[in-house]
Amino acid sequence: MPEAFIDLHLPQQKLYNNSSKDTILFPLILSPNPSKITTLSHFLDGIKSHKPWLESRLHHAGAVLFRGFPVSSAADFNDVVEAFGFEELPYVGGAAPRSNVVGRVFTANESPPDQKIPFHHEMAQVPEFPSKLFFFCEVEPTTGGETPIVLSHIIYERMKEKHPEFVQQLEEHGLIYMRVSGEDDNPASPIGRAKLGMKLVWLEDGVKTIMGPIPAIKFDESRQRKVWFNSMVAAYTGWGDERNDPRKTVTFGDGRPLSEDAIYGCLKILEEESVAIPWKKGDVLLIDNWAVLHSRRSFDPPRRVLASLCKLLLFRHISSVEVYKELGYLSPVISSVEGRQDAICEVD
């Protein structure tokens, strides 16, 4: 281990055996060596000097919590993200309300504090999703407000054992996500979503976005294992409102409804396997979005957690919509028209 970093252990961490028969301590927690890191500049230098080592630890653990480092503001956090050198992914097509703060830093989901945010892979419902996520605690909550995390391959393995037929159907058909939003919502949102390959259904008082069919189970090439890469539970339990029926926000890729028993069984497994470490001011959490799902617990204000998203790097430049068309998951363009009323369009 580089001298700048020290392993920290907390009771919330979980220990798993992986396929190569070594152990995974989840998440990895690093703290600064006080003789090496006393300023933000020292921390940034440590990241740049030891980036391959940090990336290898992230790949093994799935998530790394940096605790006790001198990071105190959104600008500091932006500098930390920049030090890693990952390419930024603009936040287009996600389901969460966010606001830009500084540079490539955004607010985390701005849903009301009394609401829980269900487990999900970030932007799993669109083809172009982030490869890595950063979270930063600028103001720690009075109570609650943790960001529980869970290893996705563990959820896949347990769901396959508990609900094998349901998982088989997911692997064969994938999922379709549907959501209706009003015209007074962000007007740029439908445009951005169209660029991501979503179908747009213009209604009299809003727009319905449709994504899919899209895979619900993915194969993580770098780790050689299947992962539970979807927002099924989040959509079914968190997208319902006066415009959206939870049973219709997510379905099998052939349009059939999902089993409620399987969905709530999955939610139970997610809670059982999750790790929830209370936030402390200055914490930076780095998540591999391929490997880990995350959520948010309700809290008593104040709480301010910021986020930054990083691009998925492909070996060749190819549109994300083309990737899914090659896999046979996206339906062909239904129509492309200039008028809004009742129009359906799919745009690369």
Side-chain angles (χ1 to χ4, degrees):
M1 175 181 290
E3 292 183 352
F5 301 98
I6 298 172
D7 274 333
L8 183 66
H9 299 284
L10 294 176
Q12 293 91 346
Q13 289 169 289
K14 287 182 179 288
L15 193 64
Y16 291 101
N17 294 317
N18 68 13
S19 57
S20 58
K21 298 185 180 178
D22 63 346
T23 57
I24 301 173
L25 185 61
F26 178 74
L28 173 69
I29 306 176
L30 296 177
S31 62
N33 182 336
S35 68
K36 299 294 182 180
I37 296 180
T38 58
T39 67
L40 177 63
S41 179
H42 292 158
F43 184 27
L44 301 180
D45 289 343
I47 293 170
K48 294 172 184 177
S49 300
H50 305 295
K51 183 183 174 185
W53 179 81
L54 289 169
E55 286 195 76
S56 70
R57 298 298 301 272
L58 173 65
H59 186 268
H60 184 261
V64 180
L65 174 63
F66 297 91
R67 170 159 287 183
F69 291 86
V71 185
S72 59
S73 67
D76 292 349
F77 174 48
N78 190 69
D79 289 343
V80 170
V81 174
E82 292 282 4
F84 275 91
F86 303 131
E87 188 176 355
E88 180 182 8
L89 177 71
Y91 186 71
V92 178
R98 299 180 188 268
S99 304
N100 183 243
V101 178
V102 61
R104 52 194 292 181
V105 172
F106 284 76
T107 56
N109 193 314
E110 296 176 344
S111 297
D114 62 333
Q115 294 182 7
K116 294 181 179 179
I117 298 173
F119 282 98
H120 61 286
H121 283 278
E122 192 66 31
M123 297 169 65
Q125 72 276 14
V126 299
E128 189 172 359
F129 51 86
S131 63
K132 297 175 179 65
L133 319 172
F134 287 91
F135 291 105
F136 164 63
C137 180
E138 189 175 34
V139 179
E140 63 183 81
T142 305
T143 57
E146 299 93 342
T147 299
I149 53 177
V150 62
L151 286 167
S152 189
H153 73 286
I154 298 295
I155 304 307
Y156 171 77
E157 290 168 2
R158 288 199 56 187
M159 281 295 291
K160 189 173 182 180
E161 179 182 355
K162 184 73 173 177
H163 301 280
E165 293 183 6
F166 180 78
V167 173
Q168 182 180 352
Q169 291 296 305
L170 284 179
E171 296 200 67
E172 290 179 1
H173 300 288
L175 292 169
I176 292 177
Y177 300 91
M178 289 177 284
R179 196 171 193 183
V180 177
S181 55
E183 287 197 349
D184 56 348
D185 289 356
N186 181 2
S189 181
I191 298 171
R193 292 177 184 184
K195 290 180 180 178
L196 288 170
M198 289 187 175
K199 294 192 258 312
L200 305 181
V201 181
W202 299 103
L203 309 172
E204 289 185 0
D205 60 347
V207 60
K208 178 191 289 185
T209 57
I210 305 171
M211 184 66 240
I214 195 168
I217 311 296
K218 294 184 185 290
F219 186 74
D220 183 349
E221 293 281 356
S222 68
R223 298 177 178 87
Q224 291 293 295
R225 66 195 186 198
K226 290 185 178 181
V227 291
W228 188 259
F229 200 94
N230 60 71
S231 296
M232 178 189 75
V233 170
Y236 197 94
T237 64
W239 288 9
D241 56 29
E242 65 275 6
R243 295 175 179 270
N244 295 280
D245 180 346
R247 294 167 296 180
K248 297 179 181 179
T249 57
V250 59
T251 66
F252 283 118
D254 58 4
R256 289 178 296 121
L258 302 179
S259 161
E260 188 168 286
D261 286 345
I263 290 172
Y264 283 97
C266 182
L267 179 59
K268 183 174 184 292
I269 291 171
L270 285 161
E271 293 289 351
E272 290 173 352
E273 297 293 344
S274 68
V275 172
I277 298 174
W279 284 111
K280 288 189 176 295
K281 178 176 172 56
D283 281 352
V284 174
L285 177 62
L286 173 55
I287 293 176
D288 186 328
N289 195 40
W290 267 104
V292 173
L293 302 102
H294 66 282
S295 65
R296 188 202 74 183
R297 290 182 177 171
S298 59
F299 62 93
D300 292 327
R303 175 191 188 268
R304 184 172 169 86
V305 173
L306 306 179
S308 186
L309 311 182
C310 304
K311 271 190 176 180
L312 174 68
L313 299 179
L314 299 176
F315 289 106
R316 62 187 180 97
H317 183 71
I318 180 173
S319 78
S320 51
V321 174
E322 185 181 348
V323 170
Y324 283 100
K325 284 181 179 176
E326 286 183 358
L327 294 174
Y329 274 102
L330 280 180
S331 58
V333 175
I334 298 176
S335 64
S336 180
V337 297
E338 294 181 359
R340 286 175 50 123
Q341 189 67 32
D342 297 324
I344 302 177
C345 61
E346 181 178 355
V347 184
D348 187 348

